[in-house]
Amino acid sequence: MFTKIIKFKQNNFSFYVIYLYNNQPELIYNAIKKKIKHSPLFFKKMSVIVNIFYIKNEINWEKVYNAIISTGINIIGVSGCNNKNIIKIINNTGTPILFDNYKDDKKIQNIDINEKKVNNNKNNIVSKSIIKIIKEKGSLLLNKDIYYNKSKIIYNPIRSGQQVYAYNSDLIIINNVSTGAELIADGNIHIYGFMRGKALSGANGDRNCQIFCSQLFAELLSIAGEYLLQDQIPLKFLGKSSRIYLKNKILKIKLCN
C-alpha cells in the first residue's frame, strides 16, 4: 500500500518587508523597538523579509541580523541584494536570498522604519509622513499632524494566517475575517462580516481611531497600543454590531444601533 510522504504545492503567503535605509545595527535595533512599542502583540514572533536595496554602503550583515532578531522578529530571507560581495556574505550565514522586481516594489506591504513620503495625485489627499527620519541618536518622533489617504477596501475574505496592513489610511473589509487573521491600519478599521481575527487600529499612535464590526467575535482588539483580548470582551457584545474606541486610555465597546 502506497503512503504519501511529502507533496510540493505552491501557496500564497503574505510577509512583511523591512526596508533598511541605514546600515548601523544600533539605529536599526532602536527604530524597530520603537515601532514594536506601539503594537507589541502584532509584532510578536513576526516573520519578515529584510530589503537592503537602499543600503549603498557596505553592511555588516551578521551584526544587522543579530540586531533585528534580538527584537523578537524572525528573518526568513533577504531581498534587494545587488552587490556580489554582500550576497556572498549573506549566503555564508545561511540566510536565503530572495529576488523581486524593484520596479514594482510599491506593491509590497512593508513596515517602514524610516520616513515614507506619499506622492500627491488627483486621487490622494495630501499626505505627511507620520514618522520623522531616524536621527543620529536613533529616536523616532511621531508627527503631530496626521493626514490619511483614501480608504483601502478589500472584498475578499481574510483567512487564517493572512496579515493586511493599510498604511496611512482606513481599512475596510467587505467580508469575513477568520480566526488567526490580522488586520492593522494607521486609521480606522471597518469589518462588514464576521470578525474573528485580530484588529489593530491607530498603528501610528492616533488615539482617535476606532474599530467597527458588524458581527464581533474578535481574538484581539487594539487601538494605538491599548488592547482587549477575546476573554475580556463582555458576552453582551459577542456577535453584535459594535464600535470600539479609546477613552482615557481604556478601550470601550458600544453597540451600534
Side-chain angles (χ1 to χ4, degrees):
M1 181 178 179
F2 175 75
T3 302
K4 183 181 292 186
I5 306 299
I6 64 169
K7 178 180 180 181
F8 284 90
K9 184 177 180 181
Q10 185 177 11
N11 284 297
N12 293 321
F13 293 94
S14 296
F15 293 104
Y16 284 94
V17 180
I18 298 182
Y19 285 81
L20 301 185
Y21 298 88
N22 191 296
N23 63 356
Q24 299 299 312
E26 184 178 353
L27 294 183
I28 294 170
Y29 173 85
N30 290 335
I32 295 176
K33 290 295 286 185
K34 290 282 186 178
K35 193 72 175 176
I36 291 175
K37 186 177 179 180
H38 291 295
S39 301
L41 291 178
F42 178 76
F43 288 97
K44 185 177 181 181
K45 296 182 179 179
M46 175 181 280
S47 296
V48 303
I49 297 168
V50 178
N51 187 295
I52 61 173
F53 179 73
Y54 298 102
I55 302 295
K56 303 304 179 183
N57 301 320
E58 291 296 321
I59 182 172
N60 188 325
W61 172 247
E62 185 176 353
K63 289 185 178 181
V64 169
Y65 176 89
N66 289 330
I68 294 174
I69 65 172
S70 64
T71 66
I73 289 178
N74 301 310
I75 299 175
I76 61 173
V78 181
S79 65
C81 301
N82 52 15
N83 183 302
K84 292 182 179 179
N85 292 329
I86 295 178
I87 291 176
K88 184 177 179 179
I89 292 171
I90 295 175
N91 276 329
N92 289 338
T93 66
T95 308
I97 300 289
L98 308 175
F99 296 95
D100 53 18
N101 184 357
Y102 304 117
K103 294 181 180 179
D104 201 31
D105 66 355
K106 290 183 180 179
K107 293 183 180 179
I108 301 176
Q109 291 181 332
N110 65 85
I111 303 171
D112 196 344
I113 60 172
N114 200 349
E115 183 179 37
K116 180 171 182 177
K117 296 181 180 178
V118 180
N119 294 327
N120 297 337
N121 57 53
K122 295 181 180 179
N123 297 321
N124 288 339
I125 299 173
V126 176
S127 176
K128 293 184 178 180
S129 174
I130 58 169
I131 300 179
K132 297 290 186 180
I133 296 176
I134 301 172
K135 297 186 177 181
E136 293 182 355
K137 293 183 179 179
S139 61
L140 215 66
L141 301 176
L142 289 177
N143 193 340
K144 293 181 180 179
D145 299 318
I146 300 174
Y147 295 85
Y148 293 106
N149 297 321
K150 63 181 182 180
S151 299
K152 179 174 184 177
I153 304 175
I154 296 179
Y155 297 93
N156 297 324
I158 311 301
R159 306 192 184 282
S160 179
Q162 287 185 293
Q163 295 175 323
V164 179
Y165 175 43
Y167 171 79
N168 217 26
S169 68
D170 290 350
L171 176 60
I172 301 174
I173 308 295
I174 316 292
N175 216 308
N176 298 325
V177 179
S178 299
T179 302
E182 296 180 344
L183 309 178
I184 183 170
D186 290 338
N188 304 300
I189 295 179
H190 303 255
I191 303 104
Y192 297 105
F194 287 96
M195 174 54 193
R196 294 190 173 93
K198 301 174 184 177
L200 299 94
S201 176
N204 59 10
D206 187 353
R207 294 181 174 273
N208 294 315
C209 291
Q210 300 186 41
I211 300 171
F212 302 87
C213 300
S214 61
Q215 297 178 75
L216 178 63
F217 296 98
E219 291 178 284
L220 178 142
L221 299 168
S222 174
I223 299 177
E226 307 295 338
Y227 63 90
L228 284 176
L229 298 174
Q230 188 175 51
D231 57 5
Q232 296 175 312
I233 300 174
L235 293 176
K236 66 178 181 180
F237 296 111
L238 294 182
K240 303 294 179 61
S241 179
S242 306
R243 175 172 70 94
I244 299 92
Y245 60 97
L246 265 180
K247 185 175 182 180
N248 298 326
K249 297 184 179 182
I250 298 175
L251 247 64
K252 301 287 186 179
I253 305 177
K254 185 176 182 180
L255 291 175
C256 296
N257 296 327

